[in-house]
Amino acid sequence: MAFPSPLSGRGMVGVCLLALLGCGGLPDARPASRTLRIAGGPGPPLSGASRQGTPSGFMVDVLNEAARRAGYDLAWAAAFRAPDVNTQALRRGEVDLVTGVSTPERMREFYVSEPWWSVQVVALLGADSSIRGEADLRGRRLALTSSLVPLVPAAFPGAETTEKRAPIQTLEPLCQGAVDAALMEEMYLPGVLLSLPASCRSLSLRAVYSTAYVDYVLIARRDGAQAARALRTALDDITVDGTLATIAARYPALSTLHAQRLAATLQVRYARRTFAIGLGAASLLVLLGVVVTVALSRSRLRLRAANQQ
């Protein structure tokens, strides 16, 4: 007489699932190394050109390291070009990636990654100005660069804006009394204050820090989104392990503290994700253990009944 096995039926399924859980994962499907053409960032101190004319700067160093870890090589098309020039080059297929800020136009047409670096927005104004805080900037006349325009409706509602091509150019209308404040990213502040236009040299200035940030992202055509995602993942990796903060420390105008805060935030996020995965796996193991126990118990009962017969 053939007797049922204690590991038959659902018990065997449970054991198989347990075995699968204990097995190692699949080999890392890292993309083969290839070259990605990338357009330069917004200019110094994020990016610039060395004396030899090659792209250099914080953004260049960071993205080159991320590309190396993701299995790509970056060919930098230019160290600095205007945002509309970069967008047109991406549209025509002359480059595969663009570094810069997200805009509604870019989000409609291209793949835009999650931000990997942020810079706080600062308002420069006269020392005797009635503006004391961020709330006082609402409805005011503001001089700013085009990269800050998308922030205005939410951060400075009702403001009347005057666009300039470079942060240093926003000071001219401020010092002439044509605007109430000049908005710029914090990283440009040292250079701007060291290169004041003639109309500002007799004017005392002070800064008001806002809660608005300019977020830097990776932009790619839809068919190049996979490579952009791979670089974005590698950027998280170098942020968590402290490499980003180390690179930021080479450039005094940038905030190393901000890089360290980014790393801490990502580490907490990863810890929560790992805890959730571990908790889910532990729950699954307990559930499978119960299934296996019940199946074995039923199998023993069937075996005892068969032996009695």
Side-chain angles (χ1 to χ4, degrees), residues 3-309:
F3 300 108
S5 168
L7 294 179
S8 61
R10 281 176 293 180
M12 180 60 73
V13 173
V15 172
C16 290
L17 287 173
L18 284 170
L20 286 174
L21 284 174
C23 294
L26 293 174
D28 182 17
R30 177 169 164 161
S33 179
R34 64 188 183 89
T35 300
L36 296 173
R37 299 163 299 170
I38 182 169
L46 283 183
S47 63
S50 66
R51 293 181 178 179
Q52 293 73 30
T54 57
S56 64
F58 168 75
M59 185 173 285
V60 175
D61 291 347
V62 169
L63 291 177
N64 281 344
E65 175 60 19
R68 184 189 67 78
R69 296 196 186 190
Y72 290 94
D73 295 317
L74 296 184
W76 290 84
F80 172 76
R81 297 197 299 193
D84 56 337
V85 175
N86 286 339
T87 299
Q88 293 167 12
L90 186 62
R91 187 179 292 125
R92 292 192 297 264
E94 296 171 1
V95 295
D96 304 301
L97 286 172
V98 165
T99 69
V101 299
S102 175
T103 64
E105 175 193 10
R106 285 172 163 177
M107 293 191 71
R108 284 193 299 268
E109 186 175 356
F110 304 113
Y111 165 80
V112 177
S113 75
E114 290 294 315
W116 65 271
W117 182 257
S118 301
V119 181
Q120 193 171 9
V121 176
V122 179
L124 270 182
L125 37 88
D128 58 351
S129 172
S130 61
I131 297 173
R132 296 300 170 188
E134 181 178 15
D136 297 330
L137 292 169
R138 298 175 181 177
R140 298 288 189 141
R141 300 169 301 166
L142 306 176
L144 72 175
T145 56
S146 58
S147 61
L148 301 184
V149 171
L151 302 176
V152 171
F156 314 102
E160 177 186 335
T161 60
T162 299
E163 289 187 44
K164 297 293 182 179
R165 291 187 61 86
I168 187 64
Q169 295 176 356
T170 64
L171 286 188
E172 196 71 40
L174 170 66
C175 297
Q176 293 174 352
V179 298
D180 301 306
L183 293 186
M184 64 191 66
E185 296 159 74
E186 181 190 20
M187 62 185 180
Y188 297 126
L189 198 56
V192 166
L193 293 177
L194 289 173
S195 306
L196 290 176
S199 58
C200 292
R201 288 171 188 165
S202 60
L203 183 67
S204 296
L205 299 174
R206 60 183 174 87
V208 170
Y209 283 75
S210 76
T211 57
Y213 280 80
V214 176
D215 293 327
Y216 287 89
V217 297
L218 298 175
I219 304 127
R221 292 188 306 278
R222 302 291 180 183
D223 57 2
Q226 182 178 357
R229 290 191 189 98
L231 258 66
R232 182 63 188 79
T233 299
L235 285 166
D236 276 351
D237 293 340
I238 67 174
T239 301
V240 170
D241 68 16
T243 303
L244 183 68
T246 300
I247 296 175
R250 303 174 192 164
Y251 301 92
L254 299 175
S255 172
T256 305
L257 179 59
H258 178 64
Q260 293 169 345
R261 286 173 179 168
L262 281 176
T265 301
L266 284 177
Q267 286 166 355
V268 170
R269 190 185 307 169
Y270 283 5
R272 288 176 179 170
R273 187 182 307 167
T274 303
F275 176 76
I277 293 172
L279 183 61
S283 301
L284 180 59
L285 286 172
V286 171
L287 177 61
L288 288 174
V290 171
V291 170
V292 170
T293 301
V294 172
L296 288 173
S297 178
R298 289 178 178 175
S299 295
R300 291 191 185 99
L301 290 175
R302 289 197 300 270
L303 180 59
R304 183 181 304 168
N307 286 333
Q308 289 173 355
Q309 291 176 3

